[in-house]
Amino acid sequence: GNSVTQMEGPVTLSEEAFLTINCTYTATGYPSLFWYVQYPGEGLQLLLKATKADDKGSNKGFEATYRKETTSFHLEKGSVQVSDSAVYFCALRTGNYKLTFGKGTLLTVNP
Amino acid sequence: NAGVTQTPKFQVLKTGQSMTLQCAQDMNHEYMSWYRQDPGMGLRLIHYSVGAGITDQGEVPNGYNVSRSTTEDFPLRLLSAAPSQTSVYFCASSNYQGRGSDGYTFGSGTRLTVV
């Protein structure tokens, strides 16, 4: 079956620090990969995606590269802001509809 | 365009009570699903539907019922609430997921406490 493993949180950084949140996956078939973000008190919203090997998804300064050889999709940002404080979910899909989510990583950015 | 609308936002129930969490989408999405979010557990799929009249179970369906009589609505019913059902519930929808698609649109959640 499909599964997603994210690094354990919480992650606490100072403003302007470099961020990496690791995500690895196991999938039957050829997955599409996603990062979702959940701000406090809100639902999840799509942050970025990649649909084939070596694709780089990017949005709001965040990036992730689809690495088929290492089955990874690590999230990175060069300089985090306080407003990036949120929970980040890695997810994959191999079929027509269902997404499989990781457990989420809480990021707190201090000024 | 309202997206996915969940009601209520907050609810407190007594053990044994029943209630329905409402979910409506206005995007003509075929697929709708319910998740619960608990600390340290991530998102767990309760039930899902691929179209009107079609529903199926997810990972944690016990204690919950669903139906899909229209494309727009996908209510989640708690038959006899238990403290273990205290959680935040999210509804999500999507259209057919071709390879370039954006995944799910989520509602803002219902925070349920069972006492």
Side-chain angles (χ1 to χ4, degrees), chain B residues 51-106:
Chain B
I54 306 169
T55 64
D56 207 347
Q57 296 180 350
E59 302 170 63
V60 289
N62 292 341
Y64 307 95
N65 271 358
V66 292
S67 60
R68 184 98 179 266
S69 56
T70 66
T71 299
E72 294 78 19
D73 299 300
F74 191 46
L76 178 71
R77 282 181 285 276
L78 280 69
L79 308 172
S80 177
S84 60
Q85 294 178 304
T86 293
S87 187
V88 181
Y89 291 84
F90 288 99
C91 180
S93 73
S94 73
N95 56 8
Y96 171 73
Q97 296 283 288
R99 186 154 282 278
S101 63
D102 283 350
Y104 293 173
T105 301
F106 281 84

Side-chain angles (χ1 to χ4, degrees), chain A residues 18-78:
Chain A
F18 184 86
L19 169 70
T20 299
I21 301 177
N22 290 338
C23 171
T24 57
Y25 66 88
T26 302
T28 54
Y30 190 176
S32 294
L33 302 174
F34 303 84
W35 277 100
Y36 282 82
V37 60
Q38 183 182 29
Y39 298 105
E42 299 183 10
L44 282 71
Q45 54 187 277
L46 180 68
L47 179 60
L48 54 83
K49 67 178 182 184
T51 58
K52 62 183 187 296
D54 300 325
D55 266 2
K56 178 184 284 188
S58 61
N59 186 24
K60 300 182 181 179
F62 291 89
E63 294 182 338
T65 300
Y66 188 143
R67 300 290 188 199
K68 192 177 180 187
E69 64 276 12
T70 55
T71 62
S72 65
F73 193 54
H74 304 321
L75 183 68
E76 296 181 337
K77 187 174 185 182

Side-chain angles (χ1 to χ4, degrees), chain B residues 7-96:
Chain B
T7 56
K9 291 191 181 301
F10 302 94
Q11 183 70 50
V12 179
L13 287 180
K14 294 183 179 178
T15 297
Q17 286 185 317
S18 62
M19 80 160 292
T20 299
L21 280 63
Q22 301 293 343
C23 175
Q25 53 90 8
D26 61 359
M27 298 169 285
N28 202 33
H29 282 173
E30 302 152 359
Y31 179 84
M32 298 185 74
S33 55
W34 278 101
Y35 288 87
R36 59 178 290 173
Q37 184 179 26
D38 302 293
M41 302 294 292
L43 291 164
R44 291 185 291 172
L45 181 65
I46 305 171
H47 285 285
Y48 65 97
S49 168
V50 298
I54 306 169
T55 64
D56 207 347
Q57 296 180 350
E59 302 170 63
V60 289
N62 292 341
Y64 307 95
N65 271 358
V66 292
S67 60
R68 184 98 179 266
S69 56
T70 66
T71 299
E72 294 78 19
D73 299 300
F74 191 46
L76 178 71
R77 282 181 285 276
L78 280 69
L79 308 172
S80 177
S84 60
Q85 294 178 304
T86 293
S87 187
V88 181
Y89 291 84
F90 288 99
C91 180
S93 73
S94 73
N95 56 8
Y96 171 73

Side-chain angles (χ1 to χ4, degrees), chain A residues 5-14 16-24 35 47-48 61-65 67 72-81 84 86 88-90 104-109:
Chain A
T5 303
Q6 290 181 234
M7 64 185 288
E8 295 281 333
V11 175
T12 302
L13 297 173
S14 298
E16 299 184 1
F18 184 86
L19 169 70
T20 299
I21 301 177
N22 290 338
C23 171
T24 57
W35 277 100
L47 179 60
L48 54 83
F62 291 89
E63 294 182 338
T65 300
R67 300 290 188 199
S72 65
F73 193 54
H74 304 321
L75 183 68
E76 296 181 337
K77 187 174 185 182
S79 177
V80 293
Q81 306 300 312
D84 294 326
Y88 292 83
F89 290 90
C90 185
T105 303
L106 173 63
L107 169 66
T108 301
V109 180

